[in-house]
Amino acid sequence: MSTAHHDAPRQPRAGRPAGALLLAAAYLTFGVLWIVFSDHLGAALFASSSALTTFQSWKGAAFVGFSALFVYLALAGAAAGQGSGAGAGASDAPAAPAGRSLPVVVLLWLLVLATGLPMVGLLAWHVARETRTQTEVADRLVRDIARKTADDTASHFDAQLRVAASLAQRSAVRALDPAACDPALGHLAMLHEGLLEVGSFDLDGRLVCGRPARRALAPRGWSAELRARRAPLVSPLERDEATGAWAYAVVHPVLGRDDRLAGAVEVLLPAAALAGIVEGPVGEGGAITLLDQTNTIASRSPQRLETIGRRMRDGANVRLFRSALPGTFRAAGVDGVQRLYAVQPVGRTGWLAAAGVPVDVVYAPVRTALLRSLLVGLGMVGLCLWLVLRLRRSITAPLRALQRTADAAAAGDFSGRAPESGPAELAAVAAGFNRMLERLPRLQQELRESEARSRRELDNLSRHVPGAIYTVLQPKGARRGTVFFISDGSREIFELEPADLRRQDNGLMIDRIHPLDRTRWEHAVGQAAADLRPVTIEYRALLPRQGLRHHLMQVHPERQPDGSLVWYGCTVDVTLLKSTEQALQLMNETLEHRIAERTAALAAANDALESFSYSVAHDLRAPLASIEGFAQATAESLRKGDTARATGYIDRVVANAARMDTLIDGFLALARAGRVALVDSQVDLQRLVAEILAEAPQAARTRVNVGTLPRVLGDQATLRQVWDNLLSNALKYSSRREHPLVTVGWEATGAGELLFWVKDNGAGFDPEYADKLFVPFARLHKAEEFDGTGVGLALVRRIVERHGGRIWASSQPDEGAAFYFTLPRERLLQGPSGEA
C-alpha cells in the first residue's frame, strides 16, 4: 500500500538521453558520409599509392580533429545546461522538468550539423556521379580502342596466314626437299620489304628451304606447339638470331603427300610491322599495347623502342591483364603511370590488345567539380557558423540571465529580475516572468493560509471519525509504502502514535494484522492495486494492550504518472459489532435448534395421541364388549336359576376387567414415558443388564452372552425399561427352543453413534410387518402363543428417541430376531477400554 505526494523524488532529465541520441546519430551519419566521400575523393584526386597514403593520413587527422571538436561541444553544452543550477546552490537547485531539452548552444551546433550534413551528402553524391560519368566515358573509350586494336592485329595476322597458306599448298613446298626448294619462298621475301624471312621447316623446327645462313640456327620454338595444335599459329615475340631484331612468326602447317603433318611454312615479320596498328585517339598520356602469349610487349603506342621485348614481371598486373577480360581495371603501366585499362584478345593467337587512359586525365573534370563544390559548401557552412555565433550572442545571454533569475526564485529569492532584452519574444517572456515574480510572494502567503486551514479541518475531522484515516505512497515496484498522513485514531486502532508513523514505512501497521489473516489481506490489496479499484476487507489484529481485535479496512488506490500508487484508506474497530453479530448468530442457531426440538416433540406427541386414540377406540372396546355380553349372560342365567353357568360368566367378566386394567396400565406407562422429564446421570449398562437378567426367571435356562458394555449419560429409570423390555422379549420368544440363546453387545460407529443390540434364536417374525412392532398394542403373535400387551416395544421406541437415538429390528420367521438401537456418541462416558 502506498500514499500520496510528499517530497517527490526528482524526475530524470528526459531531454538529455534524447539529445545525446540525436547527437550520436548525427555524428555517426557525418562519419559514414565522410568515409564514403573521402574514399571517392582520394580515388579521384590521387593516382599514385604514395599520394593516396598521404591523403589517408591527413583524412584521419582531420577526422580526429573533428571528433575532438564534437566532444568539446557536447561537454560545453552539458556544462551550460548545469551552470545556472549550480550557481543557485547545489542543495537548493530545483529538479529539471521531465520535458527539458538540450541547451540552446547545443541546439545551434546541431543546426550547423543539420546544415552541413546535407551539404556533405550532396557533395558526395555530386562527386560520385561525376566520377561515374567520367569513368563510363573513359571505359567506353579504352574498350573501343582495345577492340579496334585487337581487330586490326587479327586482320594483320590473317593476311600473313593467308600468304603462308598459299605457299603451304605448293607441291614443291609440300615435298620439303632441300635440294628442290620452291623459288617462290625467296622471291616473296624480296618482294615484301616488311618480311624478314620466308622458309619451310620440318616438324622438328629445322630449316628445309630458306636463307642458307639460317641452317646453322637452333630449331624453332614453335615446333612443339605446332605438333600439338596441328593448326596455324602466331609465335611469341623473340629476338631474331640472324638480324638481331625483335620478330614474330606466322606459321602454317604443311601436309605431306599422304596428307599427314610434315612440316610448316614460316613467315617471319619484324615487330616494327605492328607499329601502324597500335595507333589510336587515347589522348595525352594514353597507351596502346600488344602483348604476346608470354606477356612480352610486342608493340606500344606511343612508340618507345626500349619497351619492345620487355616482359611484364609484376604478377599482379599479369593476372589483371589476363583475368579482367572483357572488363576494365586500374593498373600501372611499364612506365609506372596509373591508367584505366581495357583488354581484348587477338583472335585465338593468345595475344592481347590493351588500351589505357591515365587516371589523372579521367578524373580531371571530377577534381574541378569537386574543388568548385568544396568552395561553395565551405562558404555555406561558414555562413551558417557566422549566423550561429550571432544567434548565440543574441539569444543565449538573455536566456542564461532568465535562467539564473528562475533558479534564484526556485531557491526562494524573489528579489531578482530578469533583463528584458534580446529578441522580442525573449523580452516578452522576461517581462511576463518578472510580473509573475511580483505576484509570487502574495500567492505563497495565500497558499500557506489555505494549507493551514485545510490542515485544521482535516485534523478536526480525523478526531471525530471512529477510526484511523491515512494516505500511503507506494513507489513503483515496491512491496510497501510510506505513510504520508495518518489521523489520531491510530492510537486506538493500531496502538501507535501518529508521529511515529508519518514519513515512515507502513510495515508497523501491517505487522498488527493477525498472521492467519495476513495472506488474505495481502492478496486482496494486491488485487485492488492490479485492478485500481476500492477494496473492503475485514481482518483480525493483534494489539499489545487490547489483544485480539476485529478491524474493517477500506482503501482506494490511485495510479500516479510515475507509476507509483497513492492509497487513501480508513480502518475502524468492529470488535463490538463482531461480538454482537456472533452472539446474535448463536441465539438464532439456539432458537432454531429449540424450534426443531419442539417441532419434533410436537410431531411425536401427535403420533402418540393418534396411536392412543386408536388404542382406546380399538383395544379397550373388545374387553368392554366382552364384559357387557357376559354380564347380560350372567343376568339371564340367574333369572333361570342356573348359578353354575352364571358363576362361569362372572369369572369371564373378571378376566376381561383384569385385561382392561392391564391395558390401562400400558396407556399410563406410555403417557408417562412421553411426559416425565429425563434426568441424565451416569448409567453403568454392564451392571444394569446384569440386574435385569438376575430378576428374569427365564434367564436360568437360557444361555445369555453379554459383551462388555460401556457407561453412558442418560436417564437411569427409562434406560432400565428399554433393556428390561428388550431382554424380556428375547428370553420369552426363545424359551421354546431346545437351546435358547440371547446375545447382547455394542460398538461405536463411524456415524457418531453408539450402536447396541439384543439378538435371540427364538420364533422371529415376518420382516414385512417389522414396522408394526413399535406401534402400541400391535402384536405379531397370538396371545395363546406368547403373552403380552404390545406396549413394551412402543415404550422402548419412545424412550430411545427421547435420548436422541433410533431403534429398528430385523428377523425371519423361526430364525430368531435382532433388535438394534442407538445413542448419540456424546453420551459415551467410558468405554470398556477406558476411552471417554
Side-chain angles (χ1 to χ4, degrees):
M1 246 177 20
S2 202
T3 152
H5 317 74
H6 57 6
D7 298 335
R10 293 184 178 181
Q11 301 294 337
R13 297 187 177 185
R16 287 293 174 83
L21 182 61
L22 181 60
L23 280 174
Y27 181 72
L28 177 63
T29 305
F30 180 82
V32 172
L33 291 176
W34 171 260
I35 292 172
V36 174
F37 169 68
S38 61
D39 287 344
H40 282 284
L41 183 65
L45 293 178
F46 305 102
S48 65
S49 58
S50 60
L52 187 59
T53 302
T54 304
F55 171 75
Q56 295 290 351
S57 300
W58 281 103
K59 181 183 76 169
F63 191 76
V64 170
F66 179 78
S67 300
L69 177 62
F70 178 82
V71 172
Y72 166 74
L73 292 176
L75 294 177
Q82 297 175 356
S84 59
S91 60
D92 298 331
R100 182 168 181 172
S101 182
L102 295 173
V104 176
V105 176
V106 178
L107 293 175
L108 292 176
W109 283 113
L110 284 176
L111 177 62
V112 174
L113 285 177
T115 305
L117 286 178
M119 291 297 301
V120 173
L122 182 61
L123 183 60
W125 174 80
H126 178 71
V127 171
R129 187 187 66 172
E130 191 69 24
T131 302
R132 185 168 60 253
T133 301
Q134 295 301 322
T135 302
E136 291 174 354
V137 171
D139 184 79
R140 287 195 297 270
L141 176 64
V142 294
R143 283 174 181 268
D144 292 343
I145 294 175
R147 187 180 301 108
K148 181 178 181 304
T149 303
D151 293 343
D152 292 346
T153 305
S155 299
H156 171 72
F157 288 161
D158 289 343
Q160 303 305 323
L161 283 173
R162 285 195 296 272
V163 172
S166 64
L167 292 175
Q169 298 298 323
R170 297 174 68 88
S171 58
V173 174
R174 296 180 63 185
L176 295 177
D177 184 2
C181 291
D182 191 337
L185 297 176
H187 296 160
L188 185 62
M190 291 186 293
L191 291 175
H192 294 276
E193 296 180 357
L195 298 179
L196 291 180
E197 183 70 33
V198 178
S200 60
F201 294 80
D202 61 14
L203 287 177
D204 294 329
R206 293 184 180 87
L207 182 66
V208 176
C209 294
R211 188 178 298 177
R214 292 185 175 273
R215 295 185 181 276
L217 300 179
R220 309 301 287 170
W222 44 256
S223 60
E225 183 180 0
L226 179 66
R227 283 197 298 268
R229 294 182 56 180
R230 305 176 67 86
L233 57 89
V234 178
S235 70
L237 188 71
E238 58 185 9
R239 191 177 291 277
D240 183 46
E241 296 180 8
T243 63
W246 288 98
Y248 63 94
V250 176
V251 181
H252 194 282
V254 174
L255 301 178
R257 297 185 185 279
D258 55 357
D259 290 333
R260 291 184 178 181
L261 181 63
V265 173
E266 179 194 69
V267 179
L268 188 65
L269 297 98
L274 301 172
I277 299 176
V278 290
E279 296 291 343
V282 291
E284 182 181 357
I288 303 174
T289 305
L290 281 176
L291 298 175
D292 66 6
Q293 299 95 322
T294 62
N295 301 311
T296 300
I297 297 176
S299 183
R300 186 175 182 277
S301 174
Q303 287 290 341
R304 291 186 180 178
L305 297 178
E306 66 273 13
T307 62
I308 303 301
R310 181 184 298 180
R311 177 171 296 180
M312 296 179 64
R313 302 294 181 183
D314 189 348
N317 277 352
V318 171
R319 286 193 295 273
L320 283 174
F321 274 82
R322 288 292 174 181
S323 63
L325 297 174
T328 58
F329 58 93
R330 288 179 60 169
V334 293
D335 54 0
V337 177
Q338 287 283 337
R339 293 183 177 87
L340 179 68
Y341 281 100
V343 179
Q344 287 290 331
V346 180
R348 298 183 179 180
T349 62
W351 285 47
L352 295 177
V357 179
V359 174
D360 291 341
V361 175
V362 175
Y363 294 126
V366 177
R367 285 195 296 272
T368 303
L370 176 61
L371 292 175
R372 185 169 57 250
S373 300
L374 280 175
L375 290 175
V376 174
L378 291 175
M380 294 187 66
V381 172
L383 178 62
C384 291
L385 288 173
W386 180 78
L387 290 174
V388 166
L389 294 176
R390 287 298 304 269
L391 288 173
R392 178 182 178 183
R393 282 194 296 270
S394 61
I395 294 178
T396 57
L399 280 177
R400 288 180 178 175
L402 179 61
Q403 183 181 6
R404 286 192 294 271
T405 306
D407 291 341
D413 181 11
F414 303 114
S415 60
R417 293 296 182 267
E420 300 178 9
S421 59
E425 292 82 358
L426 284 179
V429 171
F433 186 73
N434 291 334
R435 289 193 298 271
M436 182 183 66
L437 289 178
E438 294 174 357
R439 295 185 57 193
L440 270 179
R442 181 167 52 84
L443 293 176
Q444 282 191 328
Q445 180 63 29
E446 294 177 357
L447 179 60
R448 284 192 291 268
E449 294 175 356
S450 175
E451 288 181 349
R453 286 195 303 271
S454 299
R455 176 66 64 178
R456 287 194 300 271
E457 293 174 358
L458 183 58
D459 290 341
N460 292 331
L461 177 64
S462 63
R463 290 192 191 97
H464 297 87
V465 172
I469 302 174
Y470 45 84
T471 54
V472 180
L473 173 63
Q474 181 180 0
K476 183 178 181 180
R479 293 179 58 86
R480 294 189 176 183
T482 303
V483 179
F484 176 67
F485 167 80
I486 189 165
S487 65
D488 295 340
S490 63
R491 297 189 183 95
E492 180 69 21
I493 298 299
F494 303 110
E495 294 186 359
L496 294 170
E497 289 296 326
D500 297 335
L501 289 174
R502 292 183 181 130
R503 311 294 180 182
Q504 299 298 323
D505 188 283
N506 66 334
L508 294 175
M509 299 162 60
I510 298 176
D511 291 341
R512 295 291 196 250
I513 300 175
H514 195 288
L516 297 179
D517 292 347
R518 191 167 299 167
T519 301
R520 179 170 60 86
W521 183 91
E522 291 176 348
H523 175 74
V525 172
Q527 191 64 38
D531 299 339
L532 291 179
R533 57 173 178 79
V535 62
T536 301
I537 181 173
E538 180 185 332
Y539 63 88
R540 292 170 293 176
L542 291 177
L543 303 181
R545 289 188 294 100
Q546 303 179 57
L548 181 65
R549 308 295 293 176
H550 290 270
H551 286 175
L552 180 66
M553 180 193 76
Q554 184 174 33
V555 290
H556 176 70
E558 284 188 1
R559 181 78 64 187
Q560 303 302 303
D562 61 353
S564 63
L565 284 176
V566 177
W567 296 84
Y568 302 95
C570 177
T571 300
V572 296
D573 191 320
V574 294
T575 304
L576 180 60
L577 179 62
K578 191 70 176 178
S579 301
T580 305
E581 179 184 349
Q582 292 175 351
L584 182 60
Q585 183 178 359
L586 180 60
M587 291 178 60
N588 289 335
E589 292 176 356
T590 304
L591 180 59
E592 290 177 0
H593 182 67
R594 290 179 179 178
I595 291 175
E597 287 182 348
R598 296 292 175 86
T599 302
L602 182 59
N606 289 333
D607 291 342
L609 181 60
E610 182 180 355
S611 176
F612 183 77
S613 300
Y614 175 80
S615 298
V616 170
H618 180 273
D619 295 329
L620 292 182
R621 181 177 296 173
L624 287 174
S626 297
I627 291 173
E628 181 183 5
F630 286 122
Q632 292 177 357
T634 301
E636 185 68 25
S637 296
L638 289 175
R639 282 195 298 268
K640 292 180 178 181
D642 189 354
T643 57
R645 181 171 292 185
T647 301
Y649 289 148
I650 291 173
D651 290 337
R652 293 183 183 181
V653 168
V654 172
N656 281 282
R659 178 171 174 76
M660 283 187 63
D661 183 62
T662 301
L663 291 175
I664 292 172
D665 289 340
F667 287 136
L668 294 176
L670 282 175
R672 283 195 302 272
R675 184 178 68 254
V676 176
L678 300 178
V679 179
D680 287 339
S681 63
Q682 178 178 285
V683 181
D684 188 348
L685 297 182
Q686 188 77 39
R687 180 178 178 182
L688 180 64
V689 170
E691 291 177 355
I692 294 173
L693 292 175
E695 297 173 359
Q698 297 95 332
R701 57 177 301 275
T702 304
R703 186 161 63 93
V704 181
N705 296 332
V706 181
T708 305
L709 300 176
R711 295 178 181 179
V712 298
L713 181 67
D715 183 74
Q716 177 85 21
T718 56
L719 286 181
R720 184 181 184 89
Q721 287 181 298
V722 170
W723 285 101
D724 189 14
N725 278 283
L726 293 178
L727 291 172
S728 297
N729 283 346
L731 293 172
K732 177 174 62 176
Y733 287 104
S734 61
S735 62
R736 295 185 181 183
R737 295 294 186 186
E738 183 178 357
H739 301 288
L741 174 63
V742 176
T743 303
V744 179
W746 83 287
E747 68 178 7
T749 67
E753 295 178 324
L754 305 178
L755 176 64
F756 300 90
W757 62 80
V758 177
K759 302 178 181 179
D760 62 67
N761 62 346
F765 57 86
D766 190 345
E768 183 178 354
Y769 304 104
D771 55 339
K772 294 184 178 182
L773 283 174
F774 305 100
V775 176
F777 307 106
R779 292 176 51 83
L780 301 183
H781 297 277
K782 296 179 180 181
E784 293 81 7
E785 295 177 340
F786 300 100
D787 60 348
T789 62
V791 177
L793 289 179
L795 183 65
V796 167
R797 176 183 178 183
R798 183 163 300 180
I799 295 172
V800 169
E801 289 179 349
R802 291 194 66 191
H803 278 78
R806 53 197 179 91
I807 187 169
W808 69 94
S810 64
S811 177
Q812 290 292 334
D814 204 33
E815 293 184 7
F819 286 83
Y820 302 90
F821 73 92
T822 65
L823 293 177
R825 188 178 181 86
E826 53 266 23
R827 289 187 175 274
L828 177 66
L829 294 179
Q830 185 177 10
S833 59
E835 73 271 10

